[in-house]
Amino acid sequence: MTSSIKRAVAITAFVLVSAYAVVALRGPGGMSALGEKRREVQSLEEQNARLSREIQQKHDRIERLKNSTSEQELEIRRKLKLQRPGETTFILPEPPKTDSSSSK
């Protein structure tokens, strides 16, 4: 008799642990949440890589501006819209924006 009681207790414990595992894995903090967290981590890693590239490009540009007088002159002329004597600059108008909702 004691053997059957031990077996029933073991089976009941196994069923309870299995039920808890199923609820834990399928619940709001389970496998779906784990997948969502992985997607979020991947997205943040991609964003971090993009920002790192942007930072490196800006750092390189700053170094070029520090070390090259021609780059400095070009940047100053571009920012202040200056010209050298005899230079001609053409300023083109921006193309008109088309509104797709008004054409319907």
Side-chain angles (χ1 to χ4, degrees):
M1 191 81 161
T2 59
S3 171
S4 61
I5 293 174
K6 288 181 182 179
R7 183 178 296 184
V9 169
I11 291 174
T12 304
F14 179 75
V15 168
L16 288 175
V17 168
S18 298
Y20 177 76
V22 167
V23 169
L25 291 176
R26 292 193 158 228
M31 295 302 287
S32 60
L34 179 62
E36 180 61 34
K37 297 270 187 221
R38 285 186 180 171
R39 283 188 292 278
E40 184 179 349
V41 166
Q42 183 180 7
S43 171
L44 290 173
E45 285 175 346
E46 290 170 359
Q47 181 181 5
N48 191 18
R50 181 180 49 82
L51 291 173
S52 293
R53 282 191 306 273
E54 288 177 13
I55 289 170
Q56 186 61 42
Q57 289 171 349
K58 289 181 180 187
H59 178 71
D60 293 343
R61 183 171 180 269
I62 289 170
E63 285 300 315
R64 281 193 318 269
L65 287 171
K66 279 183 183 178
N67 300 326
S68 172
T69 56
S70 61
E71 286 279 337
Q72 292 172 4
E73 180 184 351
L74 184 63
E75 185 66 22
I76 291 168
R77 290 176 60 202
R78 187 179 308 138
K79 292 279 184 178
L80 299 178
K81 298 180 181 175
L82 297 176
Q83 297 180 11
R84 287 188 173 162
E87 282 186 338
T88 304
T89 303
F90 296 99
I91 300 174
L92 301 174
E94 292 187 24
K97 295 180 181 177
T98 58
D99 188 16
S100 61
S101 62
S102 65
S103 63
K104 288 184 178 180

